[in-house]
Amino acid sequence: MNEIKSDISPARDGYVGTRPVRPDGVPKVTGAARYGSDYAPAGMIHGKVLRSPHAHARIRAIDTSKAEALPGVHAVVTGADFPDFPDAYAGPERIEKNMFHESSNVMARGKVFYHGHALAAVAARDEATAKAALKLIEVDYEVLPHVISIDEAIAPGAPQVHDGMTTRNVTPAPTTPSNITRRWEDSLGDVAAGFAEADEVVELTFDSVPVHQGYIEPHACVAEYETDGSSQLWVSSQGHFTMRDLTAKMTGMSPGDIRASAAEIGGGFGGKTKVYLEPVAMMLSKKAGLPVKMTMSRDEVFRATGPASDSKIRVKIGAKRDGTITAGEIELYYNSGAFPGAPFINGCLCAFGQYNIANQHAVGHDVLSNRAMTAAYRAPGSTQSCFAVEGVLDVIAKKIGMDPIDLRLKNAITEGTRQLGDRTVTHNGFVEILEALKAHPDYAKPLGPNQGRGVAAGYWHNMSGHSGATCLINSDGVVTIANSSPDIGGSRASMAMMAADTLGVPYEDVRSEIHDTASVPYGDLTGGSRVTFATGKAIVGACEEVIDQLKQRAAEIWGVEVEAVEWAGGAAHPSSTNVGKFEPLTLKELAADASATGGHFGASYGKTMSGHAPGLSAMFCDVEVDPDTGATKILNFVSCQDAGRAIHPAYVEGQMQGACVQGIGWALNEGYVYGKDGVLQNSGWLDYRMPVASDLPMLQAIIVEVPNPFHPFGVKGVAEASMVSALGCVANAVSAATKRRMTSLPMNPQTVLKALDERGEEL
């Protein structure tokens, strides 16, 4: 497909924009859907992982002989069983990877870097035997000092997480070891001159703690290594192609020898983009000669998989009295855990992304600590920096006496606006979002005592990436479409709707599936709000190739040139009366006669897509704070996003509402709590407080549609943008209700009471 702009009308007829029944609904509500731990090949055994009891320790020796001798144990592996990798970085700077670090996170070699770090694994006839075998593994540790928080890690003389590691991307290169593993910096305009123009300058520091993505299903997989070297892998993840490739690398296999299948996924939100169990299960299966199932406990999920980074951020913004922002500056530190990889560059790029600010400066730091390696969480990195920026803007709005939405309208990005990272805005939509939000009747509602209203806006650059799809026409005219992207947010429905409208057939005649890595072209991870955009383009591409085949067949039947045939309404038609008087040939008719007229119809399509649009959101919420307990109640929440075109509006609303709920939890209650020994204290749902239905009001979602001209249906990604602004929105509302500027997350009752007791009123 070409990338030429098309004229898209949001009123286009068809299934797009409607709310049909989701194709995965019945299996999920009846319990028939199969998740990662539901697969059980013949002869399957069970794998369990031995995890470090220390936050930081050198592994002097591991003795697995007693475990191997236990009856019922089929295999034991340690880091020595896995290939070694050079300590080298590869890939684009923003998302670079280091296979030495990635593989060391899956199975420790030489040192354990956090409590819960995997250092051995056992496969046995049942879980009880596997757990018993773990207790027989003898490990000689040399316990080392540890650091958990950012402040601890960057303090002078702090214990070093990685011996001899220095800060990269600094000139001249430092020679002193540091837990700051990387620095990134960029500027736009003249920041000093911008601050000199300002009538008001506000500078504040913000911090947040690590939080979990909150997916209900724990990590699980099944691996089956065949005697001929081929293998099967069933994964509950956000990308079975990625899991296949990383498993192959970490076990010394070829990706082509692994057929990975996407199980249903019980939530991910970025947390299931990394491998943890898959290479271990495959290596155990190879050793045992039997299929191996591995499932994490909830405690393991919290201790050994990646949370979102905690942060320490300083923001300085200058503005004129008319609301023009003259300069913005941000300095941030993100905690990446035991291995480099915090999304701090995202934080820098997205901090001021929604605003037209001529003078900007951002500098970010990736900080190591003795905690599990960080993982993505819905617009990774953007949420923390937006929380800080939106808090400073809230103060500026109060100082100059300007409505907070008007302040954002005054400085809203439009097509052509320059951004950090040598980028230029290519889409409109943000002004329309802000205007729709301000027009909402609830924005003018009066507030009562101890109540406050907060406004925030957010930016996420979204992703595009590679997607693959196939389209097959069955002899009865039923269409089977398959794609490479695990369905997390309703993509099977949206793919079926786009296919139905492209082919001109009923939605009910489309079967939408996710196929394994040997049956469909390659696809990148489901993440970055890319699937409806990028995989949707792949689906449309495959359907269009099938339409070309249908037109060619009709032309052959009629004895005319293919250029004389057009496809409309699910049928081939003569393009004009000059072609001849032929009755339309429907897709069902062509499919039924396919064997007799030249063969069946089908096509595959895959490529790296382009033309994606950023995700933008704005919202307001009303809260009430109890001055005696510090408890915050959410009274009302209204969020607004530009979907480009809402393929399935109910799914778009669900994405917006879900993101807001997660943002509310991050803002008010959630957070990891560590003891002095570096051990996580709240590794379960009882002690890790997530919002439940009774904590929330009805969440109102406003969908704005400013079509993306680089997508056949106008799609812009929607899954993450509301998450970006939710933290700042709640924080600004609590600040208004308490008349204290809240700069630390979570704003739990203890934090709020302390602010009320120890500080006077402030903006």
Side-chain angles (χ1 to χ4, degrees), residues 469-490:
T470 62
C471 176
L472 305 173
I473 311 299
N474 298 287
S475 59
D476 59 356
V478 170
V479 178
T480 299
I481 57 169
N483 73 81
S484 56
S485 303
D487 182 0
I488 296 179

Side-chain angles (χ1 to χ4, degrees), residues 665-689:
W666 192 338
L668 294 181
N669 302 109
E670 296 183 41
Y672 281 19
V673 178
Y674 286 89
K676 291 183 179 180
D677 56 359
V679 175
L680 184 64
Q681 303 296 299
N682 58 335
S683 58
W685 295 136
L686 181 63
D687 298 313
Y688 184 91
R689 180 72 166 87

Side-chain angles (χ1 to χ4, degrees), residues 38 41 45 54 71 98 173 260 301 355 364 456 476 484 670-671 679 712 719-720 734:
D38 289 331
I45 57 178
H54 306 292
N98 184 316
V301 171
Y355 300 118
D476 59 356
S484 56
E670 296 183 41
V679 175
E720 292 159 291
V734 174

Side-chain angles (χ1 to χ4, degrees), residues 130-294:
K131 290 178 180 178
L134 292 181
K135 296 178 181 178
L136 298 177
I137 298 175
E138 297 175 355
V139 185
D140 181 11
Y141 296 102
E142 176 192 349
V143 179
L144 302 170
H146 63 268
V147 290
I148 296 296
S149 70
I150 291 173
D151 286 338
E152 290 172 347
I154 65 177
Q160 295 301 295
V161 177
H162 290 272
D163 301 333
M165 182 175 281
T166 57
T167 306
R168 294 185 295 128
N169 209 21
V170 174
T171 304
T175 56
T176 304
S178 173
N179 289 322
I180 300 175
T181 179
R182 187 160 58 125
R183 184 178 187 273
W184 187 90
E185 184 174 14
D186 194 29
S187 293
L188 186 65
D190 186 334
V191 174
F195 282 121
E197 293 178 41
D199 296 314
E200 296 286 354
V201 176
V202 176
E203 183 174 8
L204 294 171
T205 299
F206 299 77
D207 60 83
S208 67
V209 299
V211 294
H212 189 265
Q213 295 86 351
Y215 41 85
I216 301 301
E217 180 202 19
H219 296 258
C221 69
V222 177
E224 182 174 13
Y225 187 91
E226 304 283 0
T227 54
D228 64 357
S230 63
S231 62
Q232 301 276 345
L233 187 63
W234 292 269
V235 294
S236 180
S237 77
Q238 292 179 235
H240 50 310
F241 280 89
T242 298
M243 301 301 115
R244 177 202 66 176
D245 291 352
L246 289 174
T247 296
K249 279 188 178 182
M250 293 185 190
T251 57
M253 297 174 66
S254 166
D257 288 336
I258 301 175
R259 180 194 292 263
S261 300
E264 295 290 351
I265 179 171
F269 313 110
K272 290 182 180 174
T273 57
K274 289 181 175 290
V275 291
Y276 296 104
L277 299 177
E278 291 83 359
V280 180
M282 187 63 73
M283 192 62 79
L284 286 169
S285 179
K286 182 178 181 180
K287 267 197 165 186
L290 293 168
V292 174
K293 176 191 288 187
M294 301 189 77

Side-chain angles (χ1 to χ4, degrees), residues 535-614:
T535 308
K537 291 182 79 169
I539 288 287
V540 172
C543 290
E544 288 181 341
E545 290 193 9
V546 167
I547 288 172
D548 288 342
Q549 296 172 13
L550 293 163
K551 289 165 61 179
Q552 180 66 48
R553 191 69 52 84
E556 292 171 1
I557 292 171
W558 292 336
V560 300
E561 297 295 323
V562 69
E563 291 77 12
V565 180
E566 65 177 15
W567 188 265
H573 302 261
S575 59
S576 70
T577 55
N578 294 332
V579 175
K581 293 183 178 180
F582 301 110
E583 290 297 317
L585 286 171
T586 67
L587 182 145
K588 282 185 179 292
E589 291 170 336
L590 289 166
D593 293 337
S595 296
T597 60
H600 292 274
F601 303 99
S604 293
Y605 187 96
K607 63 182 288 188
T608 298
M609 305 300 174
S610 60
H612 65 287

